[in-house]
């Protein structure tokens, strides 16, 4: 076989086998940081302004199968009580005073296999949402509920960007429903003996021209 034919056969093989799917070995860890915006239910009696709805969060997790992972997430939002009101009628927190909001979430996430740098995922879990006055810790309220999430990852190798939309349904302590967005970066180091998995596209037999 001539060198040209060998080069052509190798090129076709590489193209046919180049599609890698987004998959991880069990034990691969997830570490991420993100900014968040939340539209809080009116029953929280919080200021709905954008400046009082922005927060920060951290996420850790691990894959338990090539497509399933478990995540734990914590967010902090420096909110404020509604204008003209004191949070939970606290005499010391002040009218329109600062409110410290925090959320802790545990969820299971399914990542759809993908042959590109972009992958999509959905998740479901439980959460605890808590608010307290910054000047009066006794002015405090909370809720337990369900967290649902859908989003996208975009990146190369172990580092990438992640964007999610989420909804929190809290039936305890009075029914509340919050929705919001999260965006940040996520790092997936292969640890605990895990290695990144890849799936190849189905390859057709390669014909060596001239033979």
């Amino acid at each position: 076989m001539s060198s040209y034919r060998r080069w052509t056969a190798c090129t076709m093989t590489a193209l046919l086998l180049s599609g890698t799917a987004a998959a991880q070995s069990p034990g691969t860890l997830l570490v991420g940081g993100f900014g968040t915006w939340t539209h809080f239910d009116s029953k929280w009696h919080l200021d709905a302004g954008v400046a009082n709805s922005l927060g920060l969060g951290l996420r850790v997790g691990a894959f338990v199968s090539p497509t399933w992972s478990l995540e734990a997430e914590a967010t902090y939002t420096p909110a404020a009580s509604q204008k003209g009101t004191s949070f939970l009628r606290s005499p010391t927190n002040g009218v329109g005073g600062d409110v410290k909001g925090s959320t802790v979430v545990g969820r299971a996430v399914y990542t759809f296999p993908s042959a590109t740098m972009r992958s999509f995922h959905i998740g479901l879990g439980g959460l605890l949402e808590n608010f307290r006055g910054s000047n009066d810790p006794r002015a405090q309220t909370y809720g337990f509920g369900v967290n649902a999430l859908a989003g996208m990852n975009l990146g190369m190798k172990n580092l990438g960007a992640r964007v999610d939309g989420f909804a929190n349904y809290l039936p305890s302590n009075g029914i509340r429903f919050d929705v919001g967005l999260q965006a940040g970066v996520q790092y997936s180091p292969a640890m605990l003996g895990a290695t990144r998995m890849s799936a190849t596209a189905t390859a057709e037999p390669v014909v060596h021209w001239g033979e």
Side-chain angles (χ1 to χ4, degrees), residues 12-160:
M12 291 180 63
T13 301
L15 289 173
L16 289 170
L17 299 179
S18 61
T20 59
Q24 302 283 356
S25 292
T28 300
L29 302 184
L30 307 172
V31 181
F34 54 89
T36 181
W37 168 82
T38 307
H39 176 72
F40 295 110
D41 191 293
S42 60
K43 293 180 182 178
W44 293 117
H45 301 293
L46 298 174
D47 190 333
V50 174
N52 295 313
S53 304
L54 302 177
L56 298 172
L58 294 174
R59 178 189 304 114
V60 295
F63 276 85
V64 295
S65 79
T67 54
W68 283 99
S69 60
L70 298 178
E71 297 181 346
E73 188 177 277
T75 62
Y76 169 73
T77 303
S81 57
Q82 289 178 338
K83 295 180 179 179
T85 68
S86 178
F87 186 61
L88 298 180
R89 300 179 180 178
S90 168
T92 59
N93 204 64
V95 174
D98 294 335
V99 177
K100 296 180 179 180
S102 60
T103 303
V104 178
V105 179
R107 70 169 72 92
V109 177
Y110 178 78
T111 301
F112 295 93
S114 171
T116 69
M117 294 169 54
R118 182 176 62 252
S119 64
F120 296 91
H121 55 263
I122 56 175
L124 187 68
L127 83 151
L128 166 64
E129 198 162 4
N130 178 75
F131 297 93
R132 67 181 181 88
S134 60
N135 297 325
D136 185 1
R138 295 172 299 178
Q140 183 173 223
T141 186
Y142 65 91
F144 293 96
V146 177
N147 168 268
L149 171 144
M152 179 184 71
N153 287 334
L154 178 63
M156 297 180 63
K157 295 184 179 179
N158 295 339
L159 182 65

Side-chain angles (χ1 to χ4, degrees), residues 167-186:
N168 298 332
Y169 172 68
L170 302 109
S172 67
N173 197 17
I175 296 176
R176 294 171 171 84
F177 188 74
D178 303 333
V179 296
L181 297 173
Q182 297 176 171
V185 296
Q186 182 164 285

